Amino acid sequence: LFILFSANKFYLNYINLTSISEVGNIFLKTLVGIEILFYFPLVVFLKLFLIDKKINFIQISLITSFYIILGLLTAFATNSRSDFYQIIFILFFFIFVFYLFNKKNNFIIILISIIIMFILITSSWINTSILSLRDIRTDVNRTELLKLSLENKQEKQIIIDQDILSEDYTGYAMFDRFILIKYFDKSLYLSDLFTESVRANFIAENKNLALSVIPQTFINLFNPDFNKKNYQFSSGTLIERMSGYNFSKYSLGSIFVESKILYKNFNYLIFPLYLIIAFIYFNAFQKNEENSVVFSPIIIPFSWWLYHFSGLDGLHHFLTLSREVIQATIIYFLIFKLINLFTKNKNEK
């Protein structure tokens, strides 16, 4: 599984960026949907180290280093900081859960936590390198982006009103990336600048943005003129444009604010449905027994998605994430069915 999911990760992130976003490419969309399973073997390795004591510290250090380095290189190649944050978040979440249920090995827990914190504090240059190349991310392939990121020494300059729209909450860019409320703050302020006519335009564009989640072939059955390539931007960018600002094509917004714009006062009834659906689904990955709660190991990689359900860009992001969660769940289920079948046959022999 480690080799299989690593190969999928490498294949997805070192091919041309335009081919990944190519409309109607169901095969690539499926591979993207199960990319999160790349971290599942890491959970198994951590269990073998911390709980089962079947691998030593040097082995787990080499494995973890592989994940961190690949995450960093992938972040540069895709011009997306999320690939680096994923591995850091999943590592930290596993350590946190392990400590809650097994308060032994305090030295190991503290050591790993210190290493993670050190990486975060000293890695602001990653943000600088990635953001400075954000405007050309769709113009060059991923190999070129990786090379440019490693060579890049310039700092991105964004001139905005720091008192109103600043996303610098802690002074450390790596920590700020985990503070999802900043996207809500900015989007809420900008949306208050909307007039009724601007709001009507936003609703019309937002419908098309949500529609772009559906495969191009199906959309064209009802709307032959619709082209998904015209809607490769975020809800946050749409809010910025319509409020008179335009910082980036890929600015994150807030599903809270989008819901407020779309539904006004009914927002307080509509938005909780998003979270209820998410929690019902993820709750299926735990089993409540008489004296314990048993978690499926896949919930550790899925924690990245669960964390982001409160900081989604908009409805289109919710639909895309839901599709990827379902895809990954199905593949995970099929893999374990095959493993159990193989193990059963082997034992019978």
Side-chain angles (χ1 to χ4, degrees), residues 107-122:
F107 174 76
I108 297 295
I109 299 297
I110 293 172
L111 177 61
I112 296 176
S113 299
I114 290 174
I115 292 173
I116 293 174
M117 294 293 288
F118 176 78
I119 292 173
L120 286 174
I121 293 173
T122 61

Side-chain angles (χ1 to χ4, degrees), residues 9 26 89 291:
K9 181 81 170 177
I26 299 176
F89 182 87
N291 298 317

Side-chain angles (χ1 to χ4, degrees), residues 272-285 306 309:
L273 292 177
Y274 296 146
L275 295 181
I276 290 173
I277 292 172
F279 280 112
I280 289 175
Y281 189 87
F282 285 110
N283 188 60
F285 293 93
L306 186 60
F309 264 102

Side-chain angles (χ1 to χ4, degrees), residues 152-201:
N152 181 40
K153 296 181 180 179
Q154 297 180 354
E155 293 189 4
K156 183 176 179 66
Q157 299 295 328
I158 302 178
I159 302 175
I160 59 176
D161 189 334
Q162 294 296 317
D163 293 331
I164 298 175
L165 301 178
S166 174
E167 294 181 1
D168 183 10
Y169 277 42
T170 67
Y172 294 96
M174 298 298 288
F175 288 112
D176 288 336
R177 183 62 176 80
F178 289 100
I179 303 177
L180 300 181
I181 192 66
K182 65 182 182 180
Y183 303 116
F184 171 83
D185 288 345
K186 183 176 71 174
S187 297
L188 181 63
Y189 170 78
L190 294 176
S191 67
D192 285 341
L193 302 177
F194 282 13
T195 62
E196 278 302 315
S197 61
V198 171
R199 176 177 175 270
N201 290 334

Side-chain angles (χ1 to χ4, degrees), residues 318-330:
F318 177 84
L319 295 174
T320 299
L321 198 59
S322 298
R323 182 196 67 205
E324 293 179 356
V325 169
I326 293 172
Q327 287 178 185
T329 302
I330 292 173

Side-chain angles (χ1 to χ4, degrees), residues 74-335:
T74 303
F76 285 149
T78 59
N79 197 251
S80 172
R81 292 172 292 173
S82 294
D83 286 282
F84 181 71
Y85 295 125
Q86 276 182 348
I87 178 60
I88 299 300
F89 182 87
I90 290 171
L91 277 173
F92 190 81
F93 187 80
F94 182 93
I95 297 301
F96 175 72
V97 172
F98 175 78
Y99 182 74
L100 283 180
F101 292 97
N102 185 1
K103 295 185 178 180
K104 299 178 181 179
N105 300 315
N106 286 338
F107 174 76
I108 297 295
I109 299 297
I110 293 172
L111 177 61
I112 296 176
S113 299
I114 290 174
I115 292 173
I116 293 174
M117 294 293 288
F118 176 78
I119 292 173
L120 286 174
I121 293 173
T122 61
S123 300
S124 294
W125 63 275
I126 297 175
N127 289 270
T128 300
S129 182
I130 291 175
L131 291 177
S132 64
L133 298 172
R134 182 59 52 88
D135 294 335
I136 65 169
R137 65 186 293 183
T138 58
D139 299 327
V140 298
N141 63 42
R142 298 193 168 189
T143 304
E144 292 173 340
L145 269 176
L146 174 58
K147 181 180 179 181
L148 290 171
S149 297
L150 294 174
E151 294 175 347
N152 181 40
K153 296 181 180 179
Q154 297 180 354
E155 293 189 4
K156 183 176 179 66
Q157 299 295 328
I158 302 178
I159 302 175
I160 59 176
D161 189 334
Q162 294 296 317
D163 293 331
I164 298 175
L165 301 178
S166 174
E167 294 181 1
D168 183 10
Y169 277 42
T170 67
Y172 294 96
M174 298 298 288
F175 288 112
D176 288 336
R177 183 62 176 80
F178 289 100
I179 303 177
L180 300 181
I181 192 66
K182 65 182 182 180
Y183 303 116
F184 171 83
D185 288 345
K186 183 176 71 174
S187 297
L188 181 63
Y189 170 78
L190 294 176
S191 67
D192 285 341
L193 302 177
F194 282 13
T195 62
E196 278 302 315
S197 61
V198 171
R199 176 177 175 270
N201 290 334
F202 176 87
I203 293 174
E205 287 293 289
N206 187 267
K207 288 179 180 178
N208 290 330
L209 186 60
L211 186 63
S212 68
V213 175
I214 302 174
Q216 182 74 59
T217 305
F218 293 110
I219 298 176
N220 289 148
L221 292 175
F222 305 97
N223 187 351
D225 298 325
F226 188 91
N227 190 341
K228 291 176 62 171
K229 291 183 179 180
N230 296 330
Y231 295 94
Q232 292 183 358
F233 52 81
S234 64
S235 179
T237 294
L238 192 59
I239 291 175
E240 288 179 359
R241 290 177 182 174
M242 294 194 170
S243 62
Y245 295 86
N246 188 12
F247 302 131
S248 171
K249 187 178 179 180
Y250 303 100
S251 295
L252 282 177
S254 168
I255 195 171
F256 288 93
V257 177
E258 181 188 89
S259 180
K260 176 178 178 292
I261 297 172
L262 296 178
Y263 311 117
K264 289 191 172 180
N265 291 334
F266 289 102
N267 168 55
Y268 301 104
L269 298 176
I270 299 297
F271 181 76
L273 292 177
Y274 296 146
L275 295 181
I276 290 173
I277 292 172
F279 280 112
I280 289 175
Y281 189 87
F282 285 110
N283 188 60
F285 293 93
Q286 73 176 46
K287 181 170 60 176
N288 298 321
E289 298 185 344
E290 185 175 350
N291 298 317
S292 63
V293 178
V294 180
F295 292 96
S296 169
I298 198 61
I299 201 63
I300 302 296
F302 278 6
S303 64
W304 174 255
W305 280 336
L306 186 60
Y307 161 72
H308 270 80
F309 264 102
S310 63
L312 296 174
D313 177 65
L315 176 60
H316 72 103
H317 196 183
F318 177 84
L319 295 174
T320 299
L321 198 59
S322 298
R323 182 196 67 205
E324 293 179 356
V325 169
I326 293 172
Q327 287 178 185
T329 302
I330 292 173
I331 296 298
Y332 174 77
F333 175 78
L334 292 176
I335 287 174

